[in-house]
Amino acid sequence: MSQRITIDHRTVPSSALRHPEKAHRPDNPIQRKPDWIRVRAPNHPIYHETKALMRENRLTTVCEEAACPNIGECWSQRHATMMIMGEICTRACSFCNVTTGMPNRLDNDEPRRVAEAVAKLGLRHVVITSVDRDDLEDGGARHFAEVISSVRNASPGTTIEILTPDFLRKDGALEIVVAAMPDVFNHNIETVPRLYPTIRPGARYYQSVRLLDGVKKLDPSIFTKSGLMLGLGEEKPEVGQVMDDFRVADVDFLTLGQYLQPTVKHASVKNFITPEEFDGYAATARAKGFLQVSASPLTRSSYHADSDFAELRDARARRLKESV
């Protein structure tokens, strides 16, 4: 019988040290997860090989930093989401498990190490994300471009998906990243506008929408992607409005997943969305015209990203053929 575990971050060590900016907040008890939120324990040999390769190349992954529930499955298939520009974020979003503080200097050798790991893993598709770097003049845009270029040189057959910050008040940053020509430009909205002051206080909803819209204006050939976490207290009509805003910005791919509370100092889960409700959201999104939709309790931005990219490319080809 395969071993299964319920996701529970209450035992994550040193959470007080990891999130000192949240220490003053009252505790939000972590609710018991429903039966449909289950993952396999990470015990596959390839999982350990992938982990060893990340350590060997001194790389950070969002899989670990964000306590992703799918790490066992993904790493067992040699799929790891690289997190560049360090492991310390300048933002303090109330949903996020990534450490907040003053980041270190950029590592100029990081693009080479990321590219080397991609080549060693033999990835058909790689997802590269980062912490927010509000301390940098360009928000890290040039570093993103250098990583993309290095991966292209080391592994020319690999398609590249990036998951970027919002580059708030970083004039010219978007143009630098788009010029590097990633195959997919992903930037997550995370939640509905009403909840931004408490869930994503350092960000601006319409800045994120404009960013995605700007990608298409600069290069319509790049696929755009964004996602929301559900269960933070949003209402269905609000989610529908975000979908409409995305379609105006010509976003191709929508992901919807269940928010899971990392520690008692993070935002609480208001409700657990059932698989049937996720199916309903997915049907609504498809009816609104997205090329690709992934909606389930365990959906995350980079979950099944390689197979999703193949489907996304096929969906665009079919739509273009139908329009002729």
Side-chain angles (χ1 to χ4, degrees):
M1 181 179 295
S2 62
Q3 183 182 3
R4 299 178 73 82
I5 58 172
T6 300
I7 306 159
D8 191 341
H9 297 301
R10 282 172 289 191
T11 58
V12 173
S14 304
S15 60
L17 296 175
R18 187 180 182 90
H19 302 290
E21 80 289 349
K22 297 179 175 70
H24 68 283
R25 298 180 181 178
D27 286 358
N28 290 317
I30 298 178
Q31 300 181 46
R32 181 180 178 83
K33 278 72 175 178
D35 291 341
W36 61 79
I37 299 181
R38 302 277 179 171
V39 294
R40 293 184 182 278
N43 56 8
H44 195 284
I46 296 177
Y47 164 87
H48 296 290
E49 289 179 17
T50 303
K51 184 174 183 178
L53 182 62
M54 296 302 108
R55 299 294 81 79
E56 176 188 336
N57 285 271
R58 293 181 288 117
L59 296 175
T60 303
T61 69
V62 74
C63 320
E64 297 167 288
E65 296 302 313
C68 180
N70 303 314
I71 188 170
E73 177 184 348
C74 293
W75 283 27
S76 296
Q77 299 174 37
R78 295 189 173 90
H79 298 160
T81 300
M82 316 292 181
M83 190 167 81
I84 61 175
M85 297 191 279
E87 58 189 36
I88 302 175
C89 186
T90 54
R91 305 269 177 100
C93 298
S94 62
F95 65 87
C96 185
N97 197 49
V98 174
T99 304
T100 299
M102 179 54 69
N104 298 318
R105 289 184 178 182
L106 290 180
D107 181 349
N108 293 329
D109 189 49
E110 184 174 54
R112 180 196 63 79
R113 297 200 312 277
V114 170
E116 184 177 302
V118 170
K120 284 183 177 179
L121 287 167
L123 299 182
R124 294 175 303 175
H125 185 82
V126 64
V127 182
I128 300 163
T129 188
S130 79
V131 291
D132 276 286
R133 290 298 302 258
D134 296 314
D135 58 310
L136 300 175
E137 184 179 359
D138 67 350
R142 289 180 183 82
H143 199 76
F144 258 108
E146 289 168 7
V147 171
I148 293 168
S149 176
S150 294
V151 173
R152 289 268 187 245
N153 291 332
S155 186
T158 302
T159 49
I160 300 173
E161 178 173 333
I162 57 170
L163 174 55
T164 77
D166 58 12
F167 297 123
L168 182 64
R169 292 184 286 273
K170 305 296 181 183
D171 292 343
L174 179 62
E175 288 79 0
I176 292 169
V177 178
V178 170
M181 298 183 65
D183 296 281
V184 181
F185 191 111
N186 185 358
H187 171 67
N188 284 332
I189 291 287
E190 307 293 7
T191 190
V192 300
R194 175 176 58 85
L195 297 178
Y196 261 54
T198 54
I199 301 302
R200 204 176 173 217
R204 302 294 180 269
Y205 174 78
Y206 288 105
Q207 164 66 17
S208 291
V209 175
R210 282 194 297 269
L211 187 80
L212 293 161
D213 184 59
V215 175
K216 287 294 189 182
K217 285 183 167 56
L218 290 166
D219 188 344
S221 71
I222 296 176
F223 290 101
T224 50
K225 178 177 176 181
S226 190
L228 293 90
M229 302 170 294
L230 302 183
L232 285 162
E234 70 287 332
E235 300 291 339
K236 285 186 178 180
E238 293 177 304
V239 176
Q241 183 60 58
V242 172
M243 292 183 190
D244 289 340
D245 291 343
F246 281 166
R247 294 307 302 129
V248 171
D250 200 22
V251 172
D252 297 301
F253 191 170
L254 173 67
T255 63
L256 300 170
Q258 173 70 53
Y259 167 65
L260 297 174
Q261 184 180 344
T263 75
V264 295
K265 295 299 183 180
H266 286 76
S268 60
V269 175
K270 302 302 181 187
N271 59 312
F272 288 102
I273 313 302
T274 67
E276 292 75 20
E277 288 176 300
F278 273 107
D279 289 344
Y281 278 120
T284 298
R286 292 189 184 98
K288 289 179 182 291
F290 290 95
L291 282 179
Q292 180 85 355
V293 180
S294 179
S296 74
L298 290 177
T299 290
R300 297 297 183 266
S301 289
S302 55
Y303 190 44
H304 294 163
D306 58 339
S307 57
D308 281 342
F309 177 72
E311 293 179 19
L312 185 62
R313 193 161 44 187
D314 290 345
R316 174 184 279 177
R318 286 194 302 270
R319 185 167 294 183
L320 288 173
K321 186 176 180 180
E322 291 167 359
S323 66
V324 173

